[in-house]
Amino acid sequence: GAVVSQHPSRVICKSGTSVKIECRSLDFQATTMFWYRQFPKQSLMLMATSNEGSKATYEQGVEKDKFLINHASLTLSTLTVTSAHPEDSSFYICSARLISSGGYNEQFFGPGTRLTVL
Amino acid sequence: QKEVEQNSGPLSVPEGAIASLNCTYSDRGSQSFFWYRQYSGKSPELIMSIYSNGDKEDGRFTAQLNKASQYVSLLIRDSQPSDSATYLCAAPQTGFQKLVFGTGTRLLVSP
């Protein structure tokens, strides 16, 4: 149980184009999903918290107009990197929140999407 | 002070030994704690959750929580080279849905 998928796993695009990444919870419903970015040999960096049916909450320093998040259903959140540039090249990882039987929040990660902008 | 702190390592142990990974946290309101394993180039994988003081065992893994000392640890018994990875400690930020992650401890298990 608690499987999260991401698509695509890898994408290469030209500078100036937009890229959409999908995150799905396959065997549970997730009212909350999270989007992270990780540069090589660096820590996970939370970009935003995505809540189903409402606007995402972005972390300080993350441009909401550049990283568009949509959480239209209880199993799907999307991240669109608009007008991507080489500095946006990174490993993008989503996670989905599952409330355990004890009432605690657990997060399960998708496999990640490696974005390369040429 | 960082909210969740870990020694970055690397922690080197020989195969078959016990690896001990440590984490401290600053938010006394934290009620749940998580250990994730992240292999190089992969996403984090949840391996242990612990919510109450004491020990919790799952196979070769034991998580230990001491809320009074604000200390969480992960013990890996009979370490294998396949355990070589970065181990991330995480706790929810009180009042928020998000997790706060430590920077991770890199574990190297040598054959």
Side-chain angles (χ1 to χ4, degrees):
Chain A
V3 179
V4 179
S5 70
Q6 267 184 258
H7 178 80
S9 58
R10 186 178 296 267
V11 58
I12 300 173
C13 70
K14 292 181 179 180
S15 185
T17 60
S18 294
V19 175
K20 180 186 280 190
I21 303 170
E22 292 186 349
C23 177
R24 293 181 186 273
S25 55
L26 297 185
D27 52 0
F28 66 101
Q29 293 183 331
T31 55
T32 306
M33 293 183 175
F34 304 87
W35 287 95
Y36 296 82
R37 182 167 56 179
Q38 189 173 37
F39 293 106
K41 299 191 185 302
Q42 293 190 21
S43 303
L44 282 174
M45 188 196 82
L46 178 65
M47 299 175 67
T49 301
S50 166
N51 287 298
E52 187 265 338
S54 64
K55 291 184 179 180
T57 302
Y58 290 81
E59 295 298 301
Q60 191 172 7
V62 177
E63 300 175 58
K64 62 180 181 181
D65 294 331
K66 180 170 182 62
F67 299 100
L68 301 178
I69 292 172
N70 184 279
H71 194 156
S73 78
L74 289 173
T75 58
L76 173 65
S77 176
T78 60
L79 168 68
T80 300
V81 183
T82 62
S83 186
H85 292 283
E87 57 267 28
D88 298 322
S89 299
S90 188
F91 191 39
Y92 291 85
I93 317 171
C94 73
S95 70
R97 184 177 69 129
L98 173 65
I99 299 176
S100 69
S101 56
Y104 296 100
N105 293 328
E106 296 182 333
Q107 278 190 37
F108 295 90
F109 285 85
T113 297
R114 195 161 302 280
L115 171 64
T116 303
V117 185
L118 303 176
Chain B
Q1 181 187 4
K2 291 184 181 177
E3 294 183 44
V4 176
E5 290 203 54
Q6 296 179 256
N7 187 316
S8 61
L11 172 66
S12 296
V13 300
E15 183 175 359
I18 296 175
S20 178
L21 304 161
N22 304 314
C23 172
T24 58
Y25 61 94
S26 61
D27 186 349
R28 286 196 172 272
S30 294
Q31 296 295 316
S32 52
F33 303 88
F34 307 94
W35 283 99
Y36 288 83
R37 177 177 63 199
Q38 186 175 23
Y39 291 112
S40 181
K42 302 294 185 182
S43 66
E45 174 192 8
L46 179 62
I47 56 172
M48 287 289 280
S49 307
I50 187 165
Y51 310 120
S52 54
N53 277 329
D55 294 0
K56 179 183 177 183
E57 187 174 318
D58 184 0
R60 294 187 297 112
F61 299 102
T62 299
Q64 299 175 319
L65 173 60
N66 184 324
K67 291 186 179 180
S69 300
Q70 297 176 248
Y71 181 89
V72 190
S73 65
L74 179 70
L75 301 178
I76 306 175
R77 289 182 299 281
D78 187 24
S79 295
Q80 301 297 309
S82 58
D83 295 325
S84 298
T86 296
Y87 290 80
L88 303 168
C89 173
Q93 187 173 9
T94 301
F96 294 87
Q97 298 167 321
K98 60 185 176 182
L99 288 178
V100 177
F101 285 86
T103 53
T105 298
R106 187 171 165 225
L107 173 66
L108 298 175
V109 182
S110 54

